[in-house]
Amino acid sequence: MKIIDKKQLAPEIVRFIVEAPQIAKKAQPGHFIILRYKENGERIPLTIADYNREKGTITLVCQGIGKSTYEINRMEVGDSFLDLLGPLGKAYPIKKLGTVVCVAGGLGVAPLYPKAKALYEAGNRIISLIGAQRKELLIMTEEMAAISAEIHFSTDDGSFGHHGFITEPLRQVLAREKVDEVVAVGPVPMMASAVKVAREFNVPVVVSLNALMVDGTGMCGGCRVTVGGETKFCCVDGPTFDGAAVDFQELLMRQRYYQEQEKEAFYRCKLEEAGQE
Amino acid sequence: MRQQMPKQDPAVRRTNFDEVALGFTAEQALAEAKRCLNCKKPLCVQGCPVEIDIPQFITLLVAGKPDQALAKIKEKNSLPAICGRVCPQENQCEKQCVLGRKGEPVAIGALERYCADWGRANQAVESTGDPAGAVKEKVAVVGSGPAGLTAAADLALMGYQVTLFESLHAPGGVLRYGIPEFRLPKAIVDYEVGNLTKLGVEIKTNVLVGQTVTIDELFALGYEAVFIGTGAGLPYFLQIPGENLNGVYSANEFLTRVNLMKAYLFPEYDTPIRIGKRVAVVGAGNVAMDAARTALRLGAETVSIVYRRSRAEMPARREEIENAEEEGVVFRLLTNPVRLEGDERGNLTTMVCQKMALGEPDASGRRRPVPIPGSEEELPVDTVIVAVGQGPNPILLQATTGLALNKRGYIEVDPETMMTSIPGVFAGGDIVTGAATVIAAMGAGKKAARAIDRYLAAKKEAGK
């Protein structure tokens, strides 16, 4: 659980390589972990962004958007996470399909990468489409480029690549050629749009959901999502689901349930930090 | 006359998380112990799932030897401070007590608690076993709830090298995440778990058996037997419209946020919980009472228990129902939620309920609730906590090939040997029976420990 490498990928986005031999041994694309970094900390789910079975390490990418993730990002090489549980969730089944379009928004590249890499290693042709708010928030571009036959970028502010949402390049690719599957990972609105576009072209679309959860083992049911009209638990039934069947509207509302508390906690955390300086 | 255990005043206790029942004083314990008739054929012992020698420990208490009384209890029960608090004694030992036929039974549970608390306060020597004795085979215990803790303790006392695996970051299972601080202080769980480590049990948290490591791999790691005590941890929902609205919690989630993650201390602790002014808890078991009383303590203005049957059918312990009533929980009986409604932000606003009447007895022997046509009513709510039971968690069951399950999805075991369809793999507690009591799980853990001992001894004999 010791951090052996830390790299700042973008403002407030940090990549950690963590010693976790037991988890690395079992990790597969689609799996996640739950970590607690200190005694009174939350249980935070993070996707396993990569793993090295020989070295016994896993890679985690964390974006500091609230108190816990902000504080995690201030941990250094040599520090240890207090608790690390995993691998959790169902592995994403890797098949040779043909051409797969991998669409990522923002931090979504981290959970997407192990899937894309495994699909590539299974002989699929990968077209990667990566979007972010602005150029400096585009992460893991080299890793993605290395496994992609084609890679395109978009930024909301036009600072790099296509000016606009990543769904627009997606539409162009799907209009241009036959695609066997779309894998979309990112913020809920982005995944919802990517699913809509893929469905217009009748291409199967897979998404990876990041519902709020506590234990990550099926015990609390806090991560329930409606998929195909049925309630599923993101932690044990997912986190990978058939995008066409997911109720994104509900997911988005559920993700926002603790917004006020999260803001309060983050505000206090920043105040304390300011007080210490 | 039976001694009454002092309690915190309801008006005070509904605002704090401190323990409600305060325990007997030394005088009370002595007075109560003296009531025991010390029957030649004690029926109380037959009522105890772990067969504590009740008259003996009470006799020692009367003789002013609480240390020996505790040692006597611990011969059979490794978790007396917990059982003294959460066992349904009224259905077990105290139900059988001869004094109960004409008057009130001896307060056996309260006396058990008294001995355990005395031991904790006076640092009595806890172990009755001989952990320095012959070191036997390695045994893996999966799940650190009541069944696992008991199996681990008993196996360690027999000289086995026990590793206890727990998926959460703290051991105790339902004792940790489920039962609230005001009914079972976590310091007591810590203490009892600490006793286990003193017996030589190695506890490994953050290991989800089935995902982190499989049962097959445990055998490959040198464990000669495995006990599965993973409980019934998968929450059931009502399967009614609106159940995924914000503000609808499973009791598991609600209680885990508060008990394990200490959300009641937010923002000192980072895990949040939201409690509205109006809370409805669906169900009337002990978990429902725990959730309702927790909601009051988090500051809810009104908390209702919504239950589709009548008072007589409520599965919770009478004591817990009384505690909830004293604290101001409202009971809406013969009331069944049919749908939940919310606002445009997906936040819960209303529970639509139907009134029920009791019809003919159903399969459970209880009268079946039948809806009264045209009786729908709207209950304004901010939070709904669903406490209608739990099923088996699928992770370990799906990951273990060859593990036979019954029709309800629980693990099938030989009732005598507690062995599953996989040789060397034993199971007990809620994962076998479905959701039941702490003591029933402990009884199963105890029985399994004996069965594992017999199995390993026979295997060793055969191998010679």
Side-chain angles (χ1 to χ4, degrees), chain B residues 392-434:
Chain B
N393 186 303
I395 292 174
L396 176 62
L397 310 183
Q398 287 172 3
T400 312
T401 40
L403 187 65
L405 306 181
N406 65 21
K407 266 183 273 175
R408 295 161 62 216
Y410 295 95
I411 299 177
E412 212 159 65
V413 295
D414 179 316
E416 286 310 307
T417 66
M418 309 291 279
M419 210 193 299
T420 67
S421 56
I422 304 173
V425 178
F426 299 76
D430 286 4
I431 192 60
V432 170
T433 58

mmCIF file of all heavy atoms in Angstrom, chain B residues 392-434:
data_model
loop_
_atom_site.group_PDB
_atom_site.id
_atom_site.type_symbol
_atom_site.label_atom_id
_atom_site.label_comp_id
_atom_site.label_asym_id
_atom_site.label_seq_id
_atom_site.Cartn_x
_atom_site.Cartn_y
_atom_site.Cartn_z
ATOM 1 N N PRO B 392 -28.087 -13.345 0.612
ATOM 2 C CA PRO B 392 -26.673 -13.726 0.568
ATOM 3 C C PRO B 392 -25.895 -12.883 -0.436
ATOM 4 O O PRO B 392 -26.364 -12.641 -1.534
ATOM 5 C CB PRO B 392 -26.717 -15.188 0.118
ATOM 6 C CG PRO B 392 -28.015 -15.326 -0.620
ATOM 7 C CD PRO B 392 -28.960 -14.327 -0.029
ATOM 8 N N ASN B 393 -24.725 -12.430 -0.039
ATOM 9 C CA ASN B 393 -23.854 -11.702 -0.960
ATOM 10 C C ASN B 393 -23.299 -12.679 -1.991
ATOM 11 O O ASN B 393 -22.814 -13.746 -1.639
ATOM 12 C CB ASN B 393 -22.712 -11.054 -0.177
ATOM 13 C CG ASN B 393 -21.842 -10.169 -1.050
ATOM 14 O OD1 ASN B 393 -21.285 -10.614 -2.046
ATOM 15 N ND2 ASN B 393 -21.748 -8.921 -0.693
ATOM 16 N N PRO B 394 -23.397 -12.332 -3.287
ATOM 17 C CA PRO B 394 -23.050 -13.303 -4.327
ATOM 18 C C PRO B 394 -21.554 -13.479 -4.605
ATOM 19 O O PRO B 394 -21.177 -14.451 -5.256
ATOM 20 C CB PRO B 394 -23.729 -12.715 -5.567
ATOM 21 C CG PRO B 394 -23.756 -11.244 -5.322
ATOM 22 C CD PRO B 394 -23.913 -11.072 -3.835
ATOM 23 N N ILE B 395 -20.699 -12.565 -4.126
ATOM 24 C CA ILE B 395 -19.306 -12.540 -4.604
ATOM 25 C C ILE B 395 -18.581 -13.865 -4.372
ATOM 26 O O ILE B 395 -18.092 -14.505 -5.299
ATOM 27 C CB ILE B 395 -18.517 -11.380 -3.961
ATOM 28 C CG1 ILE B 395 -19.058 -10.046 -4.489
ATOM 29 C CG2 ILE B 395 -17.020 -11.493 -4.257
ATOM 30 C CD1 ILE B 395 -18.461 -8.826 -3.834
ATOM 31 N N LEU B 396 -18.528 -14.301 -3.129
ATOM 32 C CA LEU B 396 -17.783 -15.524 -2.808
ATOM 33 C C LEU B 396 -18.476 -16.750 -3.409
ATOM 34 O O LEU B 396 -17.827 -17.682 -3.880
ATOM 35 C CB LEU B 396 -17.675 -15.671 -1.280
ATOM 36 C CG LEU B 396 -17.006 -16.936 -0.770
ATOM 37 C CD1 LEU B 396 -15.561 -17.001 -1.251
ATOM 38 C CD2 LEU B 396 -17.045 -16.993 0.740
ATOM 39 N N LEU B 397 -19.812 -16.722 -3.407
ATOM 40 C CA LEU B 397 -20.573 -17.879 -3.887
ATOM 41 C C LEU B 397 -20.344 -18.096 -5.378
ATOM 42 O O LEU B 397 -20.190 -19.227 -5.840
ATOM 43 C CB LEU B 397 -22.065 -17.687 -3.591
ATOM 44 C CG LEU B 397 -22.402 -17.286 -2.145
ATOM 45 C CD1 LEU B 397 -23.905 -17.188 -1.938
ATOM 46 C CD2 LEU B 397 -21.791 -18.256 -1.141
ATOM 47 N N GLN B 398 -20.318 -16.984 -6.142
ATOM 48 C CA GLN B 398 -20.107 -17.096 -7.588
ATOM 49 C C GLN B 398 -18.666 -17.449 -7.934
ATOM 50 O O GLN B 398 -18.396 -18.093 -8.942
ATOM 51 C CB GLN B 398 -20.490 -15.785 -8.295
ATOM 52 C CG GLN B 398 -21.994 -15.579 -8.355
ATOM 53 C CD GLN B 398 -22.369 -14.197 -8.881
ATOM 54 O OE1 GLN B 398 -21.510 -13.402 -9.255
ATOM 55 N NE2 GLN B 398 -23.670 -13.909 -8.901
ATOM 56 N N ALA B 399 -17.735 -17.015 -7.072
ATOM 57 C CA ALA B 399 -16.313 -17.220 -7.372
ATOM 58 C C ALA B 399 -15.843 -18.612 -6.975
ATOM 59 O O ALA B 399 -14.718 -18.996 -7.278
ATOM 60 C CB ALA B 399 -15.474 -16.161 -6.649
ATOM 61 N N THR B 400 -16.688 -19.367 -6.270
ATOM 62 C CA THR B 400 -16.255 -20.669 -5.756
ATOM 63 C C THR B 400 -16.962 -21.780 -6.514
ATOM 64 O O THR B 400 -18.128 -22.057 -6.260
ATOM 65 C CB THR B 400 -16.554 -20.756 -4.237
ATOM 66 O OG1 THR B 400 -16.071 -19.565 -3.613
ATOM 67 C CG2 THR B 400 -15.876 -21.955 -3.607
ATOM 68 N N THR B 401 -16.258 -22.401 -7.445
ATOM 69 C CA THR B 401 -16.897 -23.449 -8.239
ATOM 70 C C THR B 401 -17.099 -24.690 -7.384
ATOM 71 O O THR B 401 -16.250 -25.056 -6.569
ATOM 72 C CB THR B 401 -16.042 -23.809 -9.474
ATOM 73 O OG1 THR B 401 -14.677 -23.815 -9.082
ATOM 74 C CG2 THR B 401 -16.238 -22.823 -10.599
ATOM 75 N N GLY B 402 -18.253 -25.296 -7.570
ATOM 76 C CA GLY B 402 -18.537 -26.533 -6.842
ATOM 77 C C GLY B 402 -19.195 -26.319 -5.493
ATOM 78 O O GLY B 402 -19.465 -27.283 -4.775
ATOM 79 N N LEU B 403 -19.462 -25.067 -5.143
ATOM 80 C CA LEU B 403 -20.102 -24.793 -3.852
ATOM 81 C C LEU B 403 -21.622 -24.869 -4.042
ATOM 82 O O LEU B 403 -22.210 -24.039 -4.724
ATOM 83 C CB LEU B 403 -19.683 -23.408 -3.348
ATOM 84 C CG LEU B 403 -20.117 -23.023 -1.935
ATOM 85 C CD1 LEU B 403 -19.454 -23.913 -0.894
ATOM 86 C CD2 LEU B 403 -19.782 -21.565 -1.649
ATOM 87 N N ALA B 404 -22.234 -25.877 -3.432
ATOM 88 C CA ALA B 404 -23.674 -26.085 -3.632
ATOM 89 C C ALA B 404 -24.482 -25.101 -2.789
ATOM 90 O O ALA B 404 -24.180 -24.871 -1.618
ATOM 91 C CB ALA B 404 -24.042 -27.516 -3.258
ATOM 92 N N LEU B 405 -25.497 -24.526 -3.425
ATOM 93 C CA LEU B 405 -26.378 -23.582 -2.740
ATOM 94 C C LEU B 405 -27.778 -24.182 -2.670
ATOM 95 O O LEU B 405 -28.133 -25.039 -3.482
ATOM 96 C CB LEU B 405 -26.437 -22.254 -3.508
ATOM 97 C CG LEU B 405 -25.105 -21.582 -3.823
ATOM 98 C CD1 LEU B 405 -25.349 -20.273 -4.572
ATOM 99 C CD2 LEU B 405 -24.298 -21.307 -2.561
ATOM 100 N N ASN B 406 -28.564 -23.699 -1.721
ATOM 101 C CA ASN B 406 -29.949 -24.163 -1.661
ATOM 102 C C ASN B 406 -30.837 -23.288 -2.546
ATOM 103 O O ASN B 406 -30.365 -22.359 -3.188
ATOM 104 C CB ASN B 406 -30.447 -24.236 -0.207
ATOM 105 C CG ASN B 406 -30.507 -22.864 0.440
ATOM 106 O OD1 ASN B 406 -30.563 -21.846 -0.238
ATOM 107 N ND2 ASN B 406 -30.492 -22.840 1.759
ATOM 108 N N LYS B 407 -32.132 -23.580 -2.517
ATOM 109 C CA LYS B 407 -33.057 -22.867 -3.407
ATOM 110 C C LYS B 407 -33.070 -21.370 -3.155
ATOM 111 O O LYS B 407 -33.283 -20.579 -4.056
ATOM 112 C CB LYS B 407 -34.477 -23.421 -3.210
ATOM 113 C CG LYS B 407 -34.817 -24.529 -4.210
ATOM 114 C CD LYS B 407 -36.258 -24.994 -4.038
ATOM 115 C CE LYS B 407 -36.345 -26.077 -2.990
ATOM 116 N NZ LYS B 407 -37.690 -26.527 -2.651
ATOM 117 N N ARG B 408 -32.850 -20.994 -1.901
ATOM 118 C CA ARG B 408 -32.877 -19.564 -1.564
ATOM 119 C C ARG B 408 -31.539 -18.887 -1.829
ATOM 120 O O ARG B 408 -31.375 -17.681 -1.590
ATOM 121 C CB ARG B 408 -33.269 -19.386 -0.098
ATOM 122 C CG ARG B 408 -34.705 -19.843 0.205
ATOM 123 C CD ARG B 408 -34.899 -20.098 1.699
ATOM 124 N NE ARG B 408 -34.685 -18.888 2.497
ATOM 125 C CZ ARG B 408 -34.120 -18.874 3.703
ATOM 126 N NH1 ARG B 408 -33.688 -19.996 4.245
ATOM 127 N NH2 ARG B 408 -33.969 -17.758 4.366
ATOM 128 N N GLY B 409 -30.546 -19.649 -2.286
ATOM 129 C CA GLY B 409 -29.266 -19.050 -2.637
ATOM 130 C C GLY B 409 -28.249 -19.054 -1.506
ATOM 131 O O GLY B 409 -27.182 -18.467 -1.627
ATOM 132 N N TYR B 410 -28.593 -19.687 -0.386
ATOM 133 C CA TYR B 410 -27.637 -19.791 0.714
ATOM 134 C C TYR B 410 -26.815 -21.074 0.573
ATOM 135 O O TYR B 410 -27.185 -21.986 -0.178
ATOM 136 C CB TYR B 410 -28.372 -19.779 2.058
ATOM 137 C CG TYR B 410 -29.074 -18.467 2.323
ATOM 138 C CD1 TYR B 410 -30.426 -18.297 2.015
ATOM 139 C CD2 TYR B 410 -28.385 -17.386 2.842
ATOM 140 C CE1 TYR B 410 -31.066 -17.084 2.237
ATOM 141 C CE2 TYR B 410 -29.011 -16.177 3.072
ATOM 142 C CZ TYR B 410 -30.353 -16.027 2.767
ATOM 143 O OH TYR B 410 -30.976 -14.821 2.982
ATOM 144 N N ILE B 411 -25.716 -21.160 1.328
ATOM 145 C CA ILE B 411 -24.831 -22.318 1.204
ATOM 146 C C ILE B 411 -25.468 -23.537 1.857
ATOM 147 O O ILE B 411 -25.998 -23.458 2.975
ATOM 148 C CB ILE B 411 -23.454 -22.042 1.849
ATOM 149 C CG1 ILE B 411 -22.763 -20.861 1.159
ATOM 150 C CG2 ILE B 411 -22.560 -23.284 1.786
ATOM 151 C CD1 ILE B 411 -21.435 -20.463 1.782
ATOM 152 N N GLU B 412 -25.409 -24.649 1.154
ATOM 153 C CA GLU B 412 -25.936 -25.892 1.687
ATOM 154 C C GLU B 412 -24.840 -26.574 2.500
ATOM 155 O O GLU B 412 -23.728 -26.748 2.012
ATOM 156 C CB GLU B 412 -26.349 -26.784 0.521
ATOM 157 C CG GLU B 412 -27.511 -27.680 0.815
ATOM 158 C CD GLU B 412 -28.170 -28.138 -0.471
ATOM 159 O OE1 GLU B 412 -27.523 -28.867 -1.243
ATOM 160 O OE2 GLU B 412 -29.313 -27.725 -0.703
ATOM 161 N N VAL B 413 -25.160 -26.964 3.728
ATOM 162 C CA VAL B 413 -24.180 -27.700 4.536
ATOM 163 C C VAL B 413 -24.820 -28.962 5.094
ATOM 164 O O VAL B 413 -26.043 -29.040 5.231
ATOM 165 C CB VAL B 413 -23.633 -26.865 5.728
ATOM 166 C CG1 VAL B 413 -22.842 -25.663 5.255
ATOM 167 C CG2 VAL B 413 -24.737 -26.458 6.686
ATOM 168 N N ASP B 414 -23.984 -29.926 5.412
ATOM 169 C CA ASP B 414 -24.440 -31.099 6.146
ATOM 170 C C ASP B 414 -24.770 -30.617 7.562
ATOM 171 O O ASP B 414 -23.913 -30.054 8.231
ATOM 172 C CB ASP B 414 -23.301 -32.128 6.165
ATOM 173 C CG ASP B 414 -23.683 -33.385 6.928
ATOM 174 O OD1 ASP B 414 -24.275 -33.290 8.028
ATOM 175 O OD2 ASP B 414 -23.364 -34.461 6.418
ATOM 176 N N PRO B 415 -26.000 -30.810 8.030
ATOM 177 C CA PRO B 415 -26.367 -30.243 9.331
ATOM 178 C C PRO B 415 -25.538 -30.794 10.488
ATOM 179 O O PRO B 415 -25.393 -30.140 11.519
ATOM 180 C CB PRO B 415 -27.848 -30.610 9.479
ATOM 181 C CG PRO B 415 -28.137 -31.635 8.444
ATOM 182 C CD PRO B 415 -27.115 -31.489 7.368
ATOM 183 N N GLU B 416 -24.977 -31.947 10.329
ATOM 184 C CA GLU B 416 -24.149 -32.521 11.399
ATOM 185 C C GLU B 416 -22.716 -32.026 11.342
ATOM 186 O O GLU B 416 -22.148 -31.601 12.346
ATOM 187 C CB GLU B 416 -24.160 -34.064 11.319
ATOM 188 C CG GLU B 416 -25.463 -34.674 11.800
ATOM 189 C CD GLU B 416 -25.886 -34.141 13.171
ATOM 190 O OE1 GLU B 416 -25.060 -34.199 14.102
ATOM 191 O OE2 GLU B 416 -27.020 -33.642 13.294
ATOM 192 N N THR B 417 -22.134 -32.071 10.149
ATOM 193 C CA THR B 417 -20.702 -31.748 10.042
ATOM 194 C C THR B 417 -20.437 -30.295 9.651
ATOM 195 O O THR B 417 -19.293 -29.848 9.691
ATOM 196 C CB THR B 417 -20.019 -32.637 8.986
ATOM 197 O OG1 THR B 417 -20.569 -32.292 7.701
ATOM 198 C CG2 THR B 417 -20.260 -34.116 9.237
ATOM 199 N N MET B 418 -21.494 -29.570 9.256
ATOM 200 C CA MET B 418 -21.365 -28.179 8.808
ATOM 201 C C MET B 418 -20.498 -28.063 7.547
ATOM 202 O O MET B 418 -20.099 -26.972 7.162
ATOM 203 C CB MET B 418 -20.745 -27.283 9.890
ATOM 204 C CG MET B 418 -21.396 -27.370 11.253
ATOM 205 S SD MET B 418 -23.045 -26.659 11.253
ATOM 206 C CE MET B 418 -22.632 -24.926 11.392
ATOM 207 N N MET B 419 -20.195 -29.201 6.923
ATOM 208 C CA MET B 419 -19.348 -29.138 5.729
ATOM 209 C C MET B 419 -20.195 -28.846 4.500
ATOM 210 O O MET B 419 -21.318 -29.317 4.382
ATOM 211 C CB MET B 419 -18.556 -30.423 5.521
ATOM 212 C CG MET B 419 -17.230 -30.111 4.811
ATOM 213 S SD MET B 419 -16.314 -31.496 4.146
ATOM 214 C CE MET B 419 -15.945 -32.492 5.508
ATOM 215 N N THR B 420 -19.622 -28.043 3.593
ATOM 216 C CA THR B 420 -20.303 -27.716 2.340
ATOM 217 C C THR B 420 -20.032 -28.847 1.344
ATOM 218 O O THR B 420 -19.424 -29.864 1.696
ATOM 219 C CB THR B 420 -19.751 -26.402 1.765
ATOM 220 O OG1 THR B 420 -18.388 -26.621 1.381
ATOM 221 C CG2 THR B 420 -19.803 -25.266 2.780
ATOM 222 N N SER B 421 -20.439 -28.621 0.098
ATOM 223 C CA SER B 421 -20.198 -29.628 -0.939
ATOM 224 C C SER B 421 -18.716 -29.755 -1.277
ATOM 225 O O SER B 421 -18.315 -30.664 -1.978
ATOM 226 C CB SER B 421 -20.993 -29.259 -2.192
ATOM 227 O OG SER B 421 -20.655 -27.955 -2.598
ATOM 228 N N ILE B 422 -17.895 -28.820 -0.806
ATOM 229 C CA ILE B 422 -16.450 -28.888 -1.061
ATOM 230 C C ILE B 422 -15.758 -29.434 0.194
ATOM 231 O O ILE B 422 -15.896 -28.852 1.274
ATOM 232 C CB ILE B 422 -15.878 -27.494 -1.412
ATOM 233 C CG1 ILE B 422 -16.624 -26.914 -2.614
ATOM 234 C CG2 ILE B 422 -14.379 -27.567 -1.676
ATOM 235 C CD1 ILE B 422 -16.236 -25.483 -2.931
ATOM 236 N N PRO B 423 -15.024 -30.522 0.052
ATOM 237 C CA PRO B 423 -14.355 -31.096 1.235
ATOM 238 C C PRO B 423 -13.421 -30.078 1.887
ATOM 239 O O PRO B 423 -12.669 -29.382 1.199
ATOM 240 C CB PRO B 423 -13.546 -32.267 0.652
ATOM 241 C CG PRO B 423 -14.196 -32.597 -0.645
ATOM 242 C CD PRO B 423 -14.787 -31.320 -1.168
ATOM 243 N N GLY B 424 -13.503 -29.985 3.201
ATOM 244 C CA GLY B 424 -12.635 -29.059 3.926
ATOM 245 C C GLY B 424 -13.172 -27.644 4.022
ATOM 246 O O GLY B 424 -12.587 -26.805 4.689
ATOM 247 N N VAL B 425 -14.287 -27.383 3.319
ATOM 248 C CA VAL B 425 -14.899 -26.051 3.393
ATOM 249 C C VAL B 425 -16.181 -26.149 4.211
ATOM 250 O O VAL B 425 -17.076 -26.926 3.874
ATOM 251 C CB VAL B 425 -15.199 -25.476 1.992
ATOM 252 C CG1 VAL B 425 -15.873 -24.109 2.111
ATOM 253 C CG2 VAL B 425 -13.912 -25.360 1.180
ATOM 254 N N PHE B 426 -16.244 -25.391 5.291
ATOM 255 C CA PHE B 426 -17.375 -25.411 6.209
ATOM 256 C C PHE B 426 -18.065 -24.055 6.151
ATOM 257 O O PHE B 426 -17.476 -23.076 5.710
ATOM 258 C CB PHE B 426 -16.878 -25.699 7.623
ATOM 259 C CG PHE B 426 -16.181 -27.030 7.754
ATOM 260 C CD1 PHE B 426 -14.876 -27.213 7.277
ATOM 261 C CD2 PHE B 426 -16.833 -28.121 8.327
ATOM 262 C CE1 PHE B 426 -14.246 -28.440 7.375
ATOM 263 C CE2 PHE B 426 -16.203 -29.350 8.434
ATOM 264 C CZ PHE B 426 -14.909 -29.511 7.953
ATOM 265 N N ALA B 427 -19.304 -24.012 6.577
ATOM 266 C CA ALA B 427 -20.015 -22.724 6.590
ATOM 267 C C ALA B 427 -21.008 -22.710 7.728
ATOM 268 O O ALA B 427 -21.482 -23.759 8.177
ATOM 269 C CB ALA B 427 -20.713 -22.486 5.260
ATOM 270 N N GLY B 428 -21.327 -21.497 8.182
ATOM 271 C CA GLY B 428 -22.301 -21.367 9.258
ATOM 272 C C GLY B 428 -22.719 -19.927 9.443
ATOM 273 O O GLY B 428 -22.073 -19.006 8.935
ATOM 274 N N GLY B 429 -23.827 -19.733 10.146
ATOM 275 C CA GLY B 429 -24.360 -18.389 10.365
ATOM 276 C C GLY B 429 -25.345 -18.021 9.271
ATOM 277 O O GLY B 429 -25.892 -18.883 8.582
ATOM 278 N N ASP B 430 -25.542 -16.718 9.093
ATOM 279 C CA ASP B 430 -26.565 -16.239 8.164
ATOM 280 C C ASP B 430 -26.356 -16.708 6.725
ATOM 281 O O ASP B 430 -27.322 -16.808 5.968
ATOM 282 C CB ASP B 430 -26.613 -14.702 8.170
ATOM 283 C CG ASP B 430 -27.269 -14.141 9.423
ATOM 284 O OD1 ASP B 430 -27.615 -14.938 10.312
ATOM 285 O OD2 ASP B 430 -27.432 -12.910 9.510
ATOM 286 N N ILE B 431 -25.111 -16.993 6.335
ATOM 287 C CA ILE B 431 -24.857 -17.413 4.948
ATOM 288 C C ILE B 431 -25.418 -18.825 4.707
ATOM 289 O O ILE B 431 -25.558 -19.264 3.572
ATOM 290 C CB ILE B 431 -23.349 -17.327 4.591
ATOM 291 C CG1 ILE B 431 -23.103 -17.469 3.075
ATOM 292 C CG2 ILE B 431 -22.518 -18.353 5.340
ATOM 293 C CD1 ILE B 431 -23.758 -16.436 2.205
ATOM 294 N N VAL B 432 -25.776 -19.510 5.788
ATOM 295 C CA VAL B 432 -26.402 -20.834 5.674
ATOM 296 C C VAL B 432 -27.911 -20.758 5.958
ATOM 297 O O VAL B 432 -28.724 -21.332 5.249
ATOM 298 C CB VAL B 432 -25.724 -21.835 6.640
ATOM 299 C CG1 VAL B 432 -26.509 -23.139 6.724
ATOM 300 C CG2 VAL B 432 -24.283 -22.101 6.194
ATOM 301 N N THR B 433 -28.262 -19.990 7.010
ATOM 302 C CA THR B 433 -29.659 -19.986 7.470
ATOM 303 C C THR B 433 -30.487 -18.851 6.909
ATOM 304 O O THR B 433 -31.702 -18.854 6.998
ATOM 305 C CB THR B 433 -29.689 -19.831 9.005
ATOM 306 O OG1 THR B 433 -29.016 -18.613 9.343
ATOM 307 C CG2 THR B 433 -29.000 -20.997 9.694
ATOM 308 N N GLY B 434 -29.836 -17.835 6.346
ATOM 309 C CA GLY B 434 -30.532 -16.581 6.078
ATOM 310 C C GLY B 434 -30.454 -15.740 7.341
ATOM 311 O O GLY B 434 -30.069 -16.239 8.404
#
